[in-house]
Amino acid sequence: MSVALIQPLVVRTVAVSDPDDLLARLPGAAPYAWIRNGEGLVGWGEAARAMVPPGPGRFDWARGWLSSLFAGALIRDEVGMPGSGPVAFGSFTFDADAPGTVLVVPRVVLARRDGRAWLTTIGDNAFELARPPVEPGRIRYGDGTLTAPQWEHRVARAVSRIRDGGLDKVVLARDLTAVADRDIDIRVLLGRLARSYPECYTFSVDGLVGATPELLVRHTGQAVESLVLAGTTPRGSGPTDDAARAAALYASKKDRHEHACAVASVREALAPLCSTLHVPEEPELLVLPNVQHLASRVTGRLSDGASVLDVVAAMHPTAAVGGTPTGTALGLIRELEGMDRGGYSGPVGWIDAHGDGEWGIALRCAYISGRHARLFAGCGIMAGSDPAKELAEAQAKLRVMQYALEG
């Protein structure tokens, strides 16, 4: 466990004129971001940081640390919106027993939402001058933990295990390494991702950067919302091909079953926490620039004053990123992947002092460190999965971060 903070926090939030482009206001060092359709939060600097101890109680520890920190803060909030006042950005590892979960309260947060904008500062000397973003230059790629043929072989082994019985689905991840000519400026990646994938949640937390389509939970007062994605097909070569692929995805027994498993896992997690819960009977289609997903938007109202972290704790890992049943799938992931996912496919997002916040699943992302990047993608493996098609799907998902690096 590692904790660093300015104590007590002296926090002030004031209304400001619309910043138009939040990402353009970021200085160069270690930015934090959560942006969708131009709205959200960006932050920089550190007023407090905690490396959360791994283990089954990590969400309770995180909530307790934040509650203590925010309870002792001197807060002057003139805005009173979700995300005003002190805010912590966080990234939880996929595997509860893996180290690397982090919570950071930035010294400065700039936000815009529903036609309003505000600035939160903690302490003095919080501002930094923004330097122009620097392109990373040429990008060279290399194999990650497994080569493409090795990963296909692991998929085939997973299919065999599923057909033998004991589990319905397992999600296998693949990584790819990249090296740039120059240090990778995270602001360049954020700008490209936000422009190309405005419907996704573009995020940056402690070097983990990406644009995820999957909202794990939005918590506002007692209202909660989750967007479940499972079942994927690449975009077509044109409108006709696109429509044909969408129809095939919607009719696919394998993809519909995968989606039903994911929705069921979210329903089971949320039902004990909610007084009301609405789960769509049929999925809709979410069309992104690179892929199409089966999607279901689940909404409900909490029956008590649970924090967004309580909801995240109940939901993670969903079948969309782990498998079904969860325990068996996690065991097979550890056996076949041969790597530590870190924060990939773990919860990523923000929480304010009232327990409100938005958390997604860290998909379409990469870890950035200096000139180096480690990219991730994953696929839901079912009894009817074809290893070559799963590899093609993983490559389509990896192209999101490849584009962000290359432009």
Side-chain angles (χ1 to χ4, degrees):
M1 177 185 68
S2 174
V3 175
L5 65 153
I6 300 170
Q7 185 75 320
L9 302 183
V10 179
V11 186
R12 186 180 182 191
T13 299
V14 297
V16 295
S17 59
D18 192 338
D20 186 41
D21 185 353
L22 291 171
L23 295 173
R25 305 302 179 96
L26 284 170
Y32 297 88
W34 181 265
I35 301 292
R36 181 176 181 267
N37 284 326
E39 294 194 338
L41 307 90
V42 297
W44 59 93
E46 287 186 10
R49 162 188 285 266
M51 298 303 299
V52 179
R58 60 186 181 151
F59 289 103
D60 289 337
W61 190 97
R63 182 179 181 182
W65 180 76
L66 286 170
S67 295
S68 177
L69 179 69
F70 291 155
L74 304 174
I75 303 172
R76 181 180 174 186
D77 183 357
E78 301 174 9
V79 174
M81 294 274 286
S84 65
V87 169
F89 288 79
S91 166
F92 284 77
T93 56
F94 170 77
D95 190 329
D97 294 328
T101 293
V102 62
L103 291 169
V104 177
V105 179
R107 289 173 63 91
V108 182
V109 172
L110 181 63
R112 65 193 302 244
R113 175 175 175 169
D114 298 334
R116 300 183 66 184
W118 61 91
L119 178 72
T120 299
T121 55
I122 299 178
D124 300 321
N125 303 315
F127 292 97
E128 300 179 38
L129 294 176
R131 304 188 308 273
V134 179
E135 295 286 339
R138 187 171 57 123
I139 307 294
R140 296 177 294 280
Y141 296 99
D143 288 324
T145 306
L146 301 172
T147 65
Q150 288 172 333
W151 192 78
E152 285 184 288
H153 179 65
R154 301 295 173 95
V155 171
R157 286 173 58 186
V159 170
S160 177
R161 294 282 285 275
I162 292 168
R163 290 175 178 172
D164 287 343
L167 76 163
D168 292 324
K169 171 188 173 182
V170 63
V171 179
L172 292 184
R174 181 169 181 243
D175 62 341
L176 188 69
T177 63
V179 181
D181 286 342
R182 292 179 288 278
D183 283 354
I184 300 169
D185 190 329
I186 289 174
R187 296 173 300 167
V188 173
L189 309 188
L190 292 174
R192 288 172 178 165
L193 292 170
R195 287 190 297 271
S196 297
Y197 302 91
E199 293 294 326
C200 292
Y201 297 85
T202 297
F203 62 88
S204 172
V205 178
D206 209 44
L208 184 64
V209 181
T212 180
E214 190 142 357
L215 177 68
L216 184 62
V217 59
R218 174 183 294 115
H219 179 297
T220 307
Q222 287 186 296
V224 290
E225 177 183 342
S226 180
L227 180 63
V228 184
L229 304 180
T232 306
T233 188
R235 291 293 302 271
S237 57
T240 301
D241 189 21
D242 246 359
R245 288 173 181 263
L249 175 64
Y250 208 81
S252 166
K253 183 178 179 180
K254 175 257 183 189
D255 288 294
R256 290 296 292 266
H257 181 57
E258 180 183 353
H259 188 81
C261 289
V263 171
S265 75
V266 170
R267 180 193 292 112
E268 290 167 9
L270 286 179
L273 300 174
C274 290
S275 57
T276 61
L277 189 65
H278 173 68
V279 181
E281 294 183 1
E282 293 289 328
E284 57 188 34
L285 198 65
L286 177 65
V287 180
L288 300 173
N290 61 322
V291 294
Q292 303 180 72
H293 294 291
L294 294 178
S296 292
R297 192 172 300 276
V298 179
T299 58
R301 289 193 66 80
L302 295 172
S303 53
D304 58 25
S307 154
V308 68
L309 285 185
D310 295 319
V311 184
V312 172
M315 295 182 69
H316 178 76
T318 68
V321 294
T324 308
T326 301
T328 305
L330 294 181
L332 190 57
I333 287 170
R334 294 188 184 103
E335 176 185 336
L336 295 181
E337 279 188 356
M339 69 176 184
D340 179 7
R341 293 186 182 186
Y344 168 70
S345 67
V348 62
W350 61 271
I351 177 175
D352 67 16
H354 300 290
D356 287 334
E358 292 181 316
W359 290 74
I361 298 176
L363 306 175
R364 320 294 196 270
C365 61
Y367 272 111
I368 307 299
S369 178
R371 296 168 50 232
H372 298 268
R374 184 182 177 210
L375 290 63
F376 297 88
C379 298
I381 310 304
M382 310 284 288
S385 292
D386 175 77
K389 291 181 179 179
E390 300 297 341
L391 179 64
E393 179 181 320
Q395 289 172 331
K397 293 173 177 176
L398 285 168
R399 278 198 289 273
V400 173
M401 289 308 299
Q402 288 178 305
Y403 163 77
L405 288 166
E406 301 167 7

